[in-house]
Amino acid sequence: MVKASIQIIHDEHTTLASMLRSIGMMVERGPGKKPQDYFDVMRAMLFYIDEFPERLHHPKETELLFPPVARLAPETREVIERLDNDHIKGEAAVRELQHLLLAWELLGDTRREAFDTAIKRYLGFYLEHMRLEETVVIPAALKVLGDADWLEIDAAFAANCDPLTGKYPRDPIYDRLFTRIVNHAPAPIGLGES
C-alpha cells in the first residue's frame, strides 16, 4: 500500500518535473516576438519553485523523512547528505536564477548567456535530485519506517496541498500565479501563442 505522504511526494515531483521541463522548453525557444510574456512566465515559474517546493516540500523531507531513513538504512546516508545539501543550496540557487533573469530582462542580451548556462545546470541538478529521492530514499523509507513514523510524515505532507498537482482545491492565492503561467506560456507548455 502506498503511504499518503509518498503519493504526495510523487505528485509534487511530477508537477515540479513538468515545471522544470517547461522552463527548459522556454529557454530553448527564447523570448521570440513577445519578450515581455517570456520574462513574465519565466519569473512566475521561478517564483513557484521558490514559493512551493523550496519552502514547503523540502523542509518536510529534510526534517521528517530523511532522518529516520538515514538512521534505519545506513546505506542511504551518503545520498541523504547530498540531498540535504541540495536543499540547503536550492533556495539560494533559485534566487540567483531570478536575479540572472532580471539582469537579462533589464540589461539586455549581454546577460542572456549567464542565465541560459545557470538555468540549464539548475534543471539538470534538480531532476537528478528528484531521481535520487525516488530511487534511493523512498524505496528505503518504505522498507524501514514504521507506522508511527508514517503517521507523522503523512500528516505533515498532507498539509502541503500543492495546487498545481491538480489533486487539491486551488488556493485563491496561487490561482493568479497558475493562471499567469498557463495563459502566457506558449503552446504546448501553456495556452499562449506558439
Side-chain angles (χ1 to χ4, degrees):
M1 183 173 131
V2 176
K3 302 295 181 184
S5 52
I6 297 302
Q7 187 59 56
I8 292 168
I9 290 169
H10 284 305
D11 292 346
E12 291 174 357
H13 282 178
T14 299
T15 298
L16 184 55
S18 177
M19 183 71 69
L20 294 171
R21 288 185 184 96
S22 295
I23 289 171
M25 290 172 66
M26 294 277 296
V27 168
E28 290 303 317
R29 288 178 174 203
K33 295 178 183 174
K34 293 195 169 193
Q36 193 55 52
D37 283 352
Y38 177 87
F39 289 112
D40 285 349
V41 169
M42 291 295 282
R43 271 195 313 276
M45 290 173 154
L46 291 173
F47 177 79
Y48 164 77
I49 292 169
D50 187 32
E51 183 75 8
F52 195 85
E54 291 297 337
R55 294 176 195 231
L56 291 176
H57 180 90
H58 290 166
K60 290 174 182 160
E61 290 174 333
T62 290
E63 294 166 14
L64 299 172
L65 180 63
F66 293 172
V69 174
R71 186 179 71 253
L72 298 169
E75 69 277 6
T76 65
R77 284 187 188 145
E78 189 175 317
V79 169
I80 287 174
E81 283 179 27
R82 176 180 168 183
L83 295 171
D84 275 335
N85 285 331
D86 288 352
H87 288 173
I88 291 166
K89 295 175 191 171
E91 193 170 342
V94 77
R95 297 269 169 83
E96 177 64 14
L97 288 169
Q98 290 169 322
H99 174 81
L100 291 170
L101 181 67
L102 188 60
W104 174 21
E105 180 181 10
L106 297 178
L107 302 177
D109 279 341
T110 60
R111 297 294 187 97
R112 180 179 184 166
E113 186 177 339
F115 175 77
D116 281 358
T117 300
I119 193 73
K120 288 174 184 171
R121 183 175 52 247
Y122 179 79
L123 296 176
F125 148 81
Y126 216 138
L127 291 168
E128 174 62 9
H129 173 89
M130 289 188 295
R131 187 193 70 75
L132 286 172
E133 288 178 342
E134 297 270 347
T135 61
V136 176
V137 178
I138 290 173
L142 290 169
K143 286 180 188 172
V144 302
L145 297 184
D147 290 342
D149 298 310
W150 288 115
L151 282 174
E152 182 181 11
I153 295 167
D154 287 351
F157 274 94
N160 279 17
C161 299
D162 182 348
L164 298 187
T165 64
K167 294 195 173 189
Y168 309 100
R170 291 224 320 255
D171 184 330
I173 292 174
Y174 291 104
D175 263 353
R176 286 183 29 212
L177 175 63
F178 181 74
T179 301
R180 171 176 262 161
I181 292 169
V182 170
N183 286 339
H184 295 286
I189 300 162
L191 303 173
E193 294 178 26
S194 299

